[in-house]
Amino acid sequence: MPLAVALDLGGTQIRAALVDAKGIMLNRIATVTQATAGPIVVIQQLVDAALEVSRDSNPADIIGIGVSSPGPLDTEQGIAIGLPTIKDFDHVPLRALLQVKLSHKVHLENDGIAAAIGEWKFGAGQGLRSLVYITVSTGIGGGVIVDGHVMHGRKGMAGHIGHMAIMPNGLRCNCGNVGCWEAYAAGPAFTARANAKSAADVFAAAKQGDAAAQKHVDDEVDFLALGITSLLHLYSPEMVIIGGGLSNAFDQLHPGIESYITQNAMPAFRDVPVVKAALSGNSGLIGAAALVFQNT
Ligand SMILES: [Zn+2]
């Protein structure tokens, strides 16, 4: 059976999986990213993870290696232009450096787009022709599938939806700009407004009837829904899929998001379903594997 090795480079964890053509993970490992050790060490960690996760399989079964990485990436050239969470990843030829150490073809994709592909091929968006995937965690990322194709744009950098600006002279974003959607709707903004240690604490308090916590959840709903409404109008997806850490509280966010869309989106867009990612934390990893199966 053909298998793909999937690698997911994150700021805190490197994850690897062996995935079959149905998107089933046969083996999965995770290790702590040496995020301050520089690209040489991190790339060796990726290589080691790829070898370890595939150690017990027949090399002839493996048809390629898919890599999901934070952006911005130039995926046409295979270059990591500047990864905010990993030190010194500044114009690193990530794909080429991996390719010289690994014997199967390496496919590289932005993590938001990889997760969108994962949900499209194997998750909540199977069979659709257009969808928007949004990950809401320490930042906001995403990917857009339009008319049966992945939207890549110039250098493969399309879909940095967290950095659509929603507020003039607004809060400073990690990207350097001000007023980005991410600066208002990502996890850290939510917990900062609530003066809480974690998003989970706020959601738990709201669930127990804490009115102040519920107000913060309602504000978070409004910020998320405002961006989602714009995405509906921009891309006319058949479905909006939400993943990332905050999607753990999807049931507390979803009614308010639906209600906001019903009140504010143009009428023709109001019936688009907003759903929770089906592959939970593995959308990017399984999407990385899908890159391999798509390209063979
Ligand atoms: Zn930004």
Side-chain angles (χ1 to χ4, degrees), residues 1-5 19 21 58-65 104-107 289 292-294 296:
M1 180 198 282
L3 299 172
V5 172
V19 183
N58 181 351
D61 288 342
I62 294 171
I63 59 169
I65 296 166
H104 297 90
K105 185 175 177 190
V106 175
H107 307 265
V292 173
F293 295 116
Q294 273 183 331
T296 50

Side-chain angles (χ1 to χ4, degrees), residues 69-82:
S69 165
L73 299 177
D74 179 342
T75 49
E76 292 173 5
Q77 305 289 332
I79 292 170
I81 296 173

Side-chain angles (χ1 to χ4, degrees), residues 146-168:
V146 206
D147 302 332
H149 298 283
V150 178
M151 190 183 77
H152 272 119
R154 173 178 162 269
K155 297 186 181 183
M157 298 190 299
H160 280 86
I161 57 176
H163 304 286
M164 60 179 175
I166 61 166
M167 198 76 75

Side-chain angles (χ1 to χ4, degrees), residues 162-163 173-177 180 182:
H163 304 286
C173 179
N174 289 325
C175 74
N177 195 3
C180 293
E182 168 174 312

